[in-house]
Structure formats: C-alpha cells, structure tokens
Amino acid sequence: MKTNKSFFAVDLGATSGRTIIGNLNEGRFDLEELTRFDNNLIQTGGHFYWDIYALYNEIIKGLKLVAKRGIEISSIGIDTWGVDFVCIGDDGAILRNPLAYRDPHTFGVMEKFFENEVEKKTVYDITGIQFMNFNSIFQLYAMKLNGDSALKNANKILFVPDALSYMLTGEAVCEYTIASTSELLDPRTKDLDPKLLKALGLDRDKFGRMVNPGTQIGVLTEEVQQMTGLGAIPVIAVAGHDTGSAVAAVPAKDEKFAYLSSGTWSLMGIETKDAVINERSYDLNFTNEGGIEGTTRFLKNICGMWLYERCRKEWPEEVRKLSHPELQGSAMGVEPFRSVINPDDPMFANPAKMIDAIQQYCKETEQPVPETPAEICRCIFDSLALRYRQVFTWLKEFASFPLDTLHIIGGGSLNKYLNQFTANSLGVTVFAGPQECTAIGNIMLQAKAAGDVKDIWEMRQIIANSIELVKYEPTDKAEWDVAYGKYLQILSRK
C-alpha cells in the first residue's frame, strides 16, 4: 500500500473531546491533535443534558483550523460514547439538548419495562445486550412514561455520532455499532427489533437508515462549507461507538486475544464472528455489541477509572496538584489488598461523594476503611485488577480459542501500575497500547472507506508497525491467588 492521505477524526468521550488529524503514508500512520475541549454535563430542571451545539461548534472550530492551515483532508469521521440520542423535529431542527445517560430519570424504569412491556429474558434473547439502566431502550421508555415533549414531537431519533454527522451533512443515518448499544438491535437481523420498538410506541421510520462502518453518509453542507472554508468533504460513518473504533485498533496478530479498553469505563471482551446469546451469557450479563466487518464485540462493561477520577476531584488541592505517577506511586507503598471493593456495585454508579461510597462499602463488608488518598487509590487499583480477573475467567468459558494474551488499549494503557496488577491478577501476558486507539480506529476506517486499507487485519498490521507496545509479564501468582479468594468472599457479603 502506497498512499499519503490525511483524515479528520472527531473523538468524543463523556468528559472531553478532541479533533485529530491522522496521516497515512507508506504503510504507517501518525497523529496530530488539533484541538481538545471539555464535554460538560448541564444540570437543569432536575435533569442532566449534553450540549450537542457546543460539541458541533468544537467540530466546526477544528475544521476551520484545517482550512486555515491548508491541510487537505480526505474525509471526516465521528465517534462518541454509546446509548445517548438526539430528537429531531418535523422541520429538521434539534428539539432539545439530549439527556445524558447518567440522568436519574431511568432509575427503576428497567424493572417497569420488564413488568409491563417485554420480559427481561426475551429482551436479552433478542438483543444479547448487557442490562444497564441507562441503555437507550430504558431512556426512551422513561421519556415515554414522563410524557417527554422532545420524544412526543420527534420525527427522527439519532444516536449522538449520527446526530453530529446529520448536523454536518443533513443526512440521517443509524450507524450499526452505535445502534447496538441501544438494546434495541437484533444482531441476527442486523436491524432494530420491531417488537421492542412497538413496546416503546415507536416505529422503524423514527430512526435513520442502517449503515455499516466505512459507509459514506454524505458531504459537508453548503452552510458548513461556507463556515469552515472547506469544500464538499465526505463524512464517513466510522464505528460510531468509541469502543467499536477502539477495538478495531487492537494491534493483534490473529483472532486469539482478549482486549481491555481502559478509560472511564473498562470494557473487557473478545471479538467473535457471531453474537453469543445463551443462558450463561444471560446469567453473567455479558453484552454483544456490533463490531466492524460483521464481527461482534462480546464483552462486559466494568466501572473503570471513573472511581479514581471522581476521588481525585474530591481530594484536597494539594493532592490534586500531584501528577498521576506521583499519586499512584504513593499508593504502591501502601499495604496491598488491605481493602477491596466490587467496582460494579450500584453504589459506585454516580454517588454524591465517591470517597464516602468506597469507605461505606468497606464498613458494610467489615474491612479496614481506607482513609488516605494512597490507601483509596490502592484499594481502587487492587479491586479493578481482581474484577478484571473475574471477568477474564468468565470470558475463557465463552472463547472458542485459548486466551493467553490481553491487549490493554485506551488512556488506561499508560497506567503502568494497573497494567502490571492486571497481568499478575490474570496470569497472562499483557500488551499495553495504543493509548489513542479510538482515534486510530476512526482514522483507519476512513482509510478503508477510501480504499487505502483492505481489511481489519491490514489495519492492525499498520497499527503494529506504527507504535511501540509495552509488555507486562505476570508475577506474584500465589499472592494474587490469595487476594482473589478474599475478593470473592467480600463480594459474597453484599
């Protein structure tokens, strides 16, 4: 492959966003971050919203910078977090800023849906999606029950990356990977399920046409061209769900690997050809999300660095001033496994104060209560590594191949302490990197759409050629085995 092209990636997370230029040349790539900005929740009227207009404006700023610098981009791709959506009116206008998945309006709604509409097991048999109260299906049901005006007047319902693409192109689509996070999609038919839509009082026409990653959505509208100074640049549907783009960028040599997308959320899973939907996956609440090239991301969501991020915001200023390596390094001097928690206990979903929640959990499970930042940090890291082991053990039951390698990708791949803990806990070789996996996957899918990359394996080879992975080998097996036994005992007390 000989090419020299530039692609514009928009990578939006639940706390921040970036615009990035990816340059592909002679079988290697490099990245340049153009802009970085906050993605702030807006709290008003008892609800939490995303500011879709602010996000759109940041994309426009990035595109203006591209034009100002004279960078010739081949296309644009957008990825975001999952499940959230925007309601569009009959006149094509956005009806209201979208509700955020952490909004409390879904509390208790999932149970009401199962009781009044469709049984829980039936929902899983259709979708194979992990039950989480904020999945789109339950957000929509909560809005229906509350008589939400935006939903009542919606002509189209677009998931966040599709809504931003719509604002750029005027074209309404429903990208497959982001749609799969909704718990409305049947992975067998590859479309939204009519039974579940009917339970919500919706029909298929409320959503855009289904497109797969690598499909051109449209080109920039004349309005956007005039604002930015660019021409009719194609906008590509990449894997709109950020984890879908991230997993596409795992630099694996073959199919025999597990991945851990490590960030605010930790997502651990394997790549499969077909969805895995059976009694065991239902009992363990595993999910089947859409991947690229017809693959399925069979995984489990784990509450990841959200715990650490929240605590860091609550600590005194002198602690917040410490760098991550300084704070995490201090935690390594603390007694290991003194206190452990289940990171996925509901009490950690969105507590008023995370430190209080961690301490309360330890009190309730009759453990020493961590007090200092170092003790709390060590508690979080130990607990995450032990939870990873639990999920990894389950994954080995489902995999049709041996799992002896874990690829850690995302921002958490820079956390050398947690990476080593993970290798120790799981007892397998861990490869860390790339950190920028979501943007890389986004860009590679644009390159595939342009015909510059053949398939997922050529993508992964280019990525492997362009980055340096950090390797972690497991140590201290006996110590971690004892700790895992303690962890399971603690879980049995809750």
Side-chain angles (χ1 to χ4, degrees):
M1 179 197 70
K2 291 186 178 181
T3 185
N4 186 2
K5 288 186 178 178
S6 297
F7 304 92
F8 183 88
V10 180
D11 178 23
L12 300 176
T15 55
S16 65
R18 300 170 302 157
T19 62
I20 295 169
I21 290 292
N23 302 298
L24 190 62
N25 188 23
E26 299 291 337
R28 298 176 70 89
F29 74 88
D30 62 77
L31 302 180
E32 179 190 355
E33 184 177 291
L34 289 178
T35 63
R36 179 179 287 267
F37 46 89
D38 291 337
N39 182 17
N40 296 309
L41 282 176
I42 300 170
Q43 184 176 3
T44 181
H47 290 288
F48 291 90
Y49 300 91
W50 299 114
D51 192 341
I52 195 74
Y53 299 104
L55 295 176
Y56 169 75
N57 193 45
E58 293 293 348
I59 296 172
I60 297 299
K61 285 181 183 177
L63 292 173
K64 285 181 177 178
L65 186 56
V66 165
K68 182 179 180 181
R69 289 179 48 183
I71 302 171
E72 293 187 11
I73 55 173
S74 298
S75 60
I76 298 163
I78 302 171
D79 66 75
T80 78
W81 67 97
V83 308
D84 289 336
F85 51 86
V86 177
C87 293
I88 309 294
D90 289 338
D91 61 354
I94 291 171
L95 293 176
R96 186 192 60 215
N97 267 329
L99 287 160
Y101 67 88
R102 293 198 185 276
D103 189 273
H105 75 135
T106 57
F107 291 174
V109 169
M110 183 165 62
E111 293 74 18
K112 289 181 181 178
F113 184 85
F114 300 144
E115 181 180 351
N116 300 326
E117 305 296 341
V118 184
E119 291 184 354
K120 182 177 183 180
K121 185 65 164 57
T122 301
V123 174
Y124 189 83
D125 287 342
I126 293 171
T127 67
I129 291 294
Q130 178 179 3
F131 292 107
M132 305 186 83
N133 71 289
F134 52 67
N135 287 348
S136 312
I137 187 173
F138 307 121
Q139 290 197 47
L140 286 163
Y141 192 57
M143 292 168 75
K144 177 186 176 183
L145 294 179
N146 295 334
D148 186 274
S149 59
L151 181 61
K152 278 183 177 180
N153 292 283
N155 176 267
K156 281 285 186 288
I157 298 169
L158 302 179
F159 297 104
V160 171
D162 300 332
L164 290 164
S165 294
Y166 168 78
M167 295 171 82
L168 292 177
T169 67
E171 298 290 333
V173 302
C174 183
E175 190 277 319
Y176 184 74
T177 69
I178 198 74
S180 73
T181 69
S182 66
E183 203 163 6
L184 287 168
L185 185 139
D186 184 335
R188 304 171 191 86
T189 65
K190 309 294 185 184
D191 207 348
L192 304 180
D193 181 73
K195 180 184 181 74
L196 298 178
L197 290 175
K198 183 179 179 182
L200 297 171
L202 301 173
D203 56 49
R204 180 62 183 82
D205 290 343
K206 289 288 186 186
F207 298 82
R209 60 187 169 91
M210 189 67 68
V211 298
N212 289 316
T215 302
Q216 180 172 320
I217 297 170
V219 298
L220 296 180
T221 64
E222 290 185 7
E223 178 186 44
V224 175
Q225 291 179 47
Q226 291 172 4
M227 281 194 295
T228 61
L230 296 173
I233 305 295
V235 176
I236 305 299
V238 295
H241 187 210
D242 52 10
T243 309
S245 281
V247 173
V250 173
K253 295 179 180 179
D254 55 37
E255 299 93 341
K256 300 175 183 178
F257 70 93
Y259 58 83
L260 175 65
S261 180
S262 179
T264 301
W265 286 94
S266 291
L267 301 104
M268 179 179 280
I270 55 177
E271 204 170 59
T272 62
K273 292 181 179 178
D274 299 304
V276 180
I277 303 175
N278 54 41
E279 290 292 334
R280 183 63 171 159
S281 66
Y282 169 76
D283 290 340
L284 294 176
N285 203 20
F286 270 79
T287 201
N288 292 269
E289 294 177 353
I292 71 169
E293 296 185 5
T295 59
T296 294
R297 291 176 287 120
F298 181 71
L299 60 89
K300 193 166 183 65
N301 287 346
I302 302 167
C303 186
M305 296 303 287
W306 164 252
L307 300 161
Y308 171 79
E309 291 163 1
R310 281 289 305 273
C311 288
R312 188 174 172 84
K313 288 182 178 179
E314 295 172 20
W315 281 319
E317 185 178 357
E318 61 268 22
V319 178
R320 295 198 305 272
K321 285 182 178 177
L322 297 175
S323 68
H324 291 295
E326 287 174 329
L327 176 57
Q328 295 165 12
S330 70
M332 297 307 106
V334 172
E335 178 187 349
F337 316 119
R338 179 173 177 266
S339 309
V340 295
I341 62 173
N342 175 8
D344 290 321
D345 190 280
M347 67 191 301
F348 303 126
N350 194 15
K353 293 186 177 180
M354 185 63 75
I355 294 172
D356 289 351
I358 290 172
Q359 292 175 333
Q360 183 61 33
Y361 184 99
C362 293
K363 288 177 184 176
E364 291 179 3
T365 52
E366 301 176 345
Q367 299 182 82
V369 175
E371 299 289 350
T372 68
E375 289 174 343
I376 292 170
C377 183
R378 185 61 188 250
C379 171
I380 291 170
F381 285 11
D382 286 347
S383 302
L384 283 173
L386 293 167
R387 177 61 168 167
Y388 295 161
R389 174 169 175 167
Q390 185 177 33
V391 174
F392 191 77
T393 300
W394 292 332
L395 275 175
K396 289 194 287 188
E397 295 181 33
F398 296 104
S400 59
F401 45 84
L403 288 181
D404 52 14
T405 300
L406 177 74
H407 283 268
I408 299 181
I409 55 177
S413 66
L414 297 178
N415 190 326
K416 63 181 182 179
Y417 300 113
L418 185 54
N419 292 344
Q420 185 62 61
F421 284 6
T422 302
N424 297 350
S425 184
L426 273 58
V428 300
T429 300
V430 165
F431 291 100
Q435 173 195 359
E436 305 287 357
C437 56
T438 306
I440 293 169
N442 179 322
I443 288 159
M444 284 296 169
L445 285 163
Q446 292 186 60
K448 186 187 177 197
D452 298 317
V453 175
K454 180 177 64 176
D455 59 20
I456 190 173
W457 296 110
E458 184 175 1
M459 286 168 49
R460 286 174 169 162
Q461 184 60 56
I462 291 169
I463 294 166
N465 292 343
S466 304
I467 65 168
E468 185 174 345
L469 299 178
V470 181
K471 186 177 182 180
Y472 296 85
E473 294 290 0
T475 61
D476 304 324
K477 180 180 185 301
E479 182 180 356
W480 279 89
D481 286 348
V482 172
Y484 186 59
K486 175 184 177 180
Y487 165 81
L488 294 178
Q489 285 183 341
I490 296 299
L491 263 62
S492 68
R493 297 178 192 172
K494 287 282 289 180

